[in-house]
Amino acid sequence: MPIQDDPPPAHPFSRAVWHFTPQWFLIPQGTGIIAVLLHQLHYQFGALPILAKIVWIYTIAVLGIFLAIYSLRICLYRHHMARELRDNILETSCLASIPITFTSIIQMASLQYGTSSGLAVYILWWITTGLSVTALIAIPYVQLKLQPIGLERIPPAILLPVIAALTSAAGAGVVCVSANISVRLQVPAILVAYLEIGAGFALAIAFSAVVLLDHFSHFHPTPEKVYQDMILCGPFGQGGFALQALGQAVLQGAFAAYDRGDLLTARATDPIGYISQFSGLLSWGFATFWWCFAIVSILHTLAVQPGGLRATRFTLATWSLIFPWGVYTNSAVELGKLMDSPAFHVWSTALLLLLIALTIWVTLFTVKGIVTGKVLGLDQGWRQKYVDLYGDKQA
């Protein structure tokens, strides 16, 4: 049975709330991983930790503002929200950006204040893990069972719930390594994180195959959709970092200190820890393929479109580039530390510099879109009221 929709509001500000989709959460999701990268980069200088904290606070503020606006949208236009969640696969997928951003914020909190507030960070991680697992189970179920979709309508954004679970697993590794918590608290977090990786990698491979099949079936993806190709890099970049961080937590003695049963013992520490870290390297290699694929795909699509690169129209989907690029870079940063590799140190630094330049560029276009109103569905600007189907301007 079709869900009755609310009529579009007349006032421009109300209509902006009407058009405030979960794609906006891609923005704090991207800035959150940049804060982590600035804090963890091998080549540090005096102002970098301060800059990382500024970006972290900015992420918290933006997420809070966006949650308030989105909650207002739910309260005012519940029928419209119900229809969008029922019919729009991008709407449901981007909801996973909320727990992803929460986890990035918690990672930064652990890296900065884990020694003094380890228990608080640990509790927050369990909360965001609950949200991530809910997103991993509920969102694909809604998309597969309730939304009327076909193969040609499946975007790479369907991987966002999977990325949420893998980000939660990565957060467990960071918290266990950097926060001052006991072994009895670390072990369940590590085990749950590995379970998330098991579920996340299987779904990531399955969904990636579906998206790749969609690319074989369609020769010319639209520029608005092609930016999402970078999301394909996300699960394997974030999964690689999660395996590296969890392996480090195991090697630091979490299992050895627990030392019970046959698996969680001192003898199992070295093989589990080193296999985990080596698997992270393999996962980063797969992420490298998707990163290169996305770069070539985006440049080729924009170049061959009518009008070339100058005809490119900015949308919020452009923010799909930032977070996957960031987790791919974060995994390279961690590999550089684990192997003490100058090559990885230089490569991760170059990736971060390119990412910062890209983020500034996307942010400027976003601010311009907000000023003009176009990214909020106000094609006629903030002063133009809604024109109904009969051409009459509503008061």
Side-chain angles (χ1 to χ4, degrees):
M1 179 181 295
I3 300 175
Q4 183 180 1
D5 200 352
D6 296 317
H11 196 280
F13 287 96
S14 299
R15 201 158 69 254
V17 175
W18 165 282
H19 288 292
F20 194 86
T21 70
Q23 286 190 71
W24 283 92
F25 292 108
L26 294 172
I27 297 177
Q29 174 181 294
T31 57
I33 192 61
I34 290 177
V36 174
L37 285 168
L38 292 173
H39 189 278
Q40 293 296 96
L41 190 67
H42 176 75
Y43 299 114
Q44 291 283 325
F45 59 91
L48 207 56
I50 299 175
L51 182 59
K53 183 174 290 188
I54 292 173
V55 177
W56 177 60
I57 295 172
Y58 170 80
T59 300
I60 297 173
V62 171
L63 178 63
I65 293 171
F66 287 0
L67 283 173
I69 298 174
Y70 193 70
S71 299
L72 182 63
R73 185 191 189 214
I74 295 174
C75 294
L76 295 178
Y77 310 114
R78 59 184 182 276
H79 295 301
H80 175 62
M81 283 289 303
R83 187 185 66 81
E84 287 294 295
L85 292 175
R86 174 65 177 79
D87 298 335
N88 191 337
I89 190 172
L90 195 59
E91 183 97 6
T92 51
S93 294
C94 289
L95 287 175
S97 295
I98 298 174
I100 292 174
T101 307
F102 270 130
T103 307
S104 296
I105 291 172
I106 292 167
Q107 286 184 48
M108 270 295 291
S110 181
L111 291 170
Q112 296 178 102
Y113 309 111
T115 54
S116 59
S117 305
L119 184 59
V121 170
Y122 181 77
I123 293 172
L124 289 174
W125 176 82
W126 276 109
I127 293 173
T128 192
T129 296
L131 295 174
S132 300
V133 172
T134 301
L136 178 66
I137 297 173
I139 293 176
Y141 181 85
V142 170
Q143 293 170 340
L144 293 172
K145 296 294 186 178
L146 302 179
Q147 291 183 341
I149 63 173
L151 186 62
E152 70 278 1
R153 294 181 54 193
I154 298 179
I158 62 169
L159 285 163
L160 286 173
V162 178
I163 296 176
L166 294 172
T167 303
S168 171
V174 172
V175 169
C176 290
V177 170
S178 60
N180 184 20
I181 55 177
S182 67
V183 172
R184 286 186 173 273
L185 296 179
Q186 290 184 37
V187 170
I190 293 172
L191 292 178
V192 169
Y194 276 121
L195 291 174
E196 289 179 304
I197 291 175
F201 268 140
L203 287 173
I205 293 172
F207 287 167
S208 297
V210 173
V211 174
L212 193 60
L213 179 61
D214 180 59
H215 278 70
F216 279 118
S217 304
H218 300 82
F219 298 103
H220 300 293
T222 62
E224 291 78 10
K225 184 178 179 180
V226 75
Y227 289 117
Q228 296 183 37
D229 281 351
M230 187 60 73
I231 297 177
L232 294 165
C233 171
F236 306 104
Q238 187 68 294
F241 173 78
L243 287 167
Q244 296 160 34
L246 290 169
Q248 186 177 358
V250 171
L251 291 172
Q252 283 186 354
F255 286 4
Y258 190 79
D259 202 23
R260 293 186 181 181
D262 295 326
L263 179 62
L264 308 180
T265 63
R267 290 182 302 170
T269 294
D270 286 349
I272 291 177
Y274 289 124
I275 290 174
S276 180
Q277 291 181 341
F278 182 71
S279 299
L281 177 62
L282 298 180
S283 180
W284 187 82
F286 197 17
T288 301
F289 164 78
W290 284 119
W291 183 82
C292 296
F293 176 88
I295 295 293
V296 174
S297 177
I298 293 169
L299 293 178
H300 176 259
T301 301
L302 297 181
V304 301
Q305 69 175 332
L309 293 174
R310 295 184 178 180
T312 303
R313 179 174 176 268
F314 176 80
T315 66
L316 287 175
T318 312
W319 279 96
S320 301
L321 296 168
I322 306 302
F323 183 81
W325 189 312
V327 295
Y328 173 70
T329 304
N330 196 33
S331 186
V333 170
E334 189 68 15
L335 284 171
K337 293 180 178 180
L338 293 177
M339 297 186 291
D340 192 18
S341 169
F344 274 100
H345 294 329
V346 173
W347 177 234
S348 59
T349 302
L351 286 171
L352 178 57
L353 292 175
L354 291 172
L355 179 61
I356 291 174
L358 183 62
T359 304
I360 293 173
W361 174 74
V362 176
T363 301
L364 291 175
F365 274 94
T366 304
V367 172
K368 178 182 177 181
I370 293 173
V371 173
T372 60
K374 291 185 177 180
V375 295
L376 288 164
L378 307 177
D379 293 334
Q380 303 301 321
W382 286 95
R383 296 186 179 182
Q384 181 68 39
K385 292 192 175 181
Y386 175 71
V387 179
D388 65 16
L389 296 177
Y390 299 98
D392 298 327
K393 185 185 295 183
Q394 295 183 4

